[in-house]
Amino acid sequence: MPGCANIIGLSCIRCGASYSGSTEIDSRGCPACREAAPVNLKPVYASPVDPLSIAPNAPRSMWRYAHALPCSLDDAVSLGEGQTPLIEAARIGRAMGVPNLFIKDEGRNPTWSHKDRFSTVAVSVARAQGSTVVATASSGNAGASLAAYAARAGLDCVVATFGGAANAMLAQIRKYGATVLPLANKMDRWTLLAEAATRYGWFITSPYRVPVIGSHALGIEGYKTIAYEIVEQSGGIAPDWCVLPVCYGDALFGVWTGFQELFAQGAILGLPRMVAAEVHGSLAQALATGSDRLEERSPAFESLAVSIGAPRSAYQALKALRESSGRAVPLNNDGLVQMQERLAQDEGIFAELASVTPLLAIARLREEGVITPDDHVVAVATASGLKDLDRSVGQAGDDTIFRSTGEAWDWLGHNAAALLAWQR
């Protein structure tokens, strides 16, 4: 496959059908499954992937695992992504009845979201294949990430978005020099990108056809490195549960694939159960009915977690949940902002609203007795809370300006008396 030194072909993640390396990745997925259950493809590597094989001079980024990714280190377009911290969240964990809780803070990536793991691979492949324009349909994080990596690679970037996207993320996209196209009808984004791929050969990284199958199959491989790092940072042990916010399931499937590869190489003795924190419940419905075809749900409310607000997920997420005996937990806006503030105030982690949905899912599964107090649980916080401040901050705090230190002390006495206790 051009630009993919490690790849010899593609295969269907549902039926296993094999396709040549020259097969176009066009957001339609497997031709054999298209009518029954549209599904993404995955790359087939020239030799078995060994995530444990790390070169002594490997970079301090996720490209230390280049041997397990579609393109070589020589072709990598990198901003130092990956190697994000795995933080013990003992205080909030104890309050939830899950004392062995850890947060994988993906907000520490270069553009402050996990999408950088996808974009670094996708843009590396695009440049190696000779593409000059990369494009995506995005509500924010994916667009900001792709724009940054396109800038790094010297490529043009187009982001098709929609009215109502978070202003901070749109500003970030434009600062990287990308062309932003806001469309009133969300689905027009995909029509535009499909036409661009056909007419001009743009390298499209997001889904752009209906029904959705997920993002570009090669970019998704970047998410495997989250699993590799979790295991490394946990002393070679996989968690009992790994919980992510889920839209189309790109990251969920990628992380699950990473754990599977580690298990196949004997690096871990068991596999975690995966959990999808979702909004409108398409995965929960498919799990309940046994269907392989996810149905579009009619949104009953407008979610504050805009990054995962799509009305339908994809088969790849369903596959990860079924194979891991996992769960899908539909969530509304109740408690979302409060959990964001609690995580920030208890653990010092300020996460995007979508990124705290895993904590709400964990709390619910603990209440139901599905997760036990002894379980080792990892929640993946996918992006920084700076991304959607216009959604998470409804009203500014007290903006009083004190005219003297006396006024400040008086205010503290009335509003924060605990701060005035003598420190010993």
Side-chain angles (χ1 to χ4, degrees), residues 66-360:
H67 53 280
L69 297 173
C71 52
S72 69
L73 181 58
D74 291 340
D75 289 326
V77 177
S78 177
L79 287 166
E81 56 290 318
Q83 298 297 290
T84 58
L86 182 67
I87 301 169
E88 184 177 8
R91 186 177 294 113
I92 197 169
R94 284 193 299 269
M96 293 166 56
V98 187
N100 200 14
L101 174 66
F102 292 79
I103 309 290
K104 181 67 168 162
D105 187 4
E106 288 293 287
R108 307 290 189 92
N109 279 299
T111 75
W112 315 307
S113 92
H114 72 306
K115 297 289 186 180
D116 292 348
R117 296 182 189 262
F118 174 95
S119 294
T120 184
V121 176
V123 171
S124 297
V125 171
R127 187 177 69 172
Q129 291 182 350
S131 298
T132 58
V133 180
V134 293
T136 185
S138 171
S139 60
N141 283 327
S145 181
L146 189 68
Y149 284 84
R152 179 71 170 171
L155 307 181
D156 290 321
C157 179
V158 178
V159 179
T161 187
F162 56 86
N167 291 328
M169 287 192 267
L170 292 180
Q172 187 183 10
I173 293 168
R174 290 189 171 103
K175 290 293 186 181
Y176 290 128
T179 299
V180 178
L181 301 174
L183 294 160
N185 184 337
K186 284 187 179 184
M187 296 312 299
D188 284 347
R189 301 177 302 161
W190 290 6
T191 302
L192 184 148
L193 293 180
E195 292 172 352
T198 302
R199 292 182 188 179
Y200 307 113
W202 291 1
F203 188 101
I204 315 297
T205 61
S206 68
Y208 59 95
R209 299 188 192 277
V210 178
V212 64
I213 61 167
S215 299
H216 197 285
L218 301 185
I220 290 172
E221 292 290 285
Y223 293 128
K224 300 189 303 185
T225 60
I226 294 177
Y228 302 163
E229 290 177 17
I230 288 172
V231 170
E232 277 194 59
Q233 293 165 330
S234 301
I237 299 171
D240 297 303
W241 297 88
C242 186
V243 191
L244 292 89
V246 171
C247 185
Y248 301 134
D250 296 335
L252 184 79
F253 180 72
V255 172
W256 173 240
T257 300
F259 282 125
Q260 287 180 309
E261 291 175 351
L262 290 164
F263 184 71
Q265 292 295 325
I268 52 178
L269 299 178
L271 289 162
R273 298 176 70 180
M274 306 298 291
V275 176
E278 60 175 345
V279 172
H280 297 299
S282 66
L283 289 166
Q285 181 190 43
L287 286 173
T289 62
S291 174
D292 280 359
R293 191 180 187 96
L294 282 84
E295 301 297 330
E296 184 156 332
R297 307 280 286 175
S298 178
F301 64 99
E302 182 180 353
S303 177
L304 290 172
V306 64
S307 294
I308 58 172
R312 171 173 49 198
S313 190
Y315 175 83
Q316 58 187 5
L318 184 62
K319 178 180 174 68
L321 296 179
R322 283 179 175 161
E323 289 182 345
S324 69
S325 299
R327 293 294 187 98
V329 181
L331 299 161
N332 55 29
N333 291 331
D334 292 347
L336 195 56
V337 173
Q338 292 86 345
M339 183 61 81
Q340 181 192 52
E341 293 173 350
R342 186 175 177 184
L343 177 63
Q345 294 169 15
D346 283 358
E347 304 294 349
I349 300 171
F350 183 32
E352 182 189 22
L353 287 171
S355 296
V356 299
T357 58
L359 296 177
L360 293 173

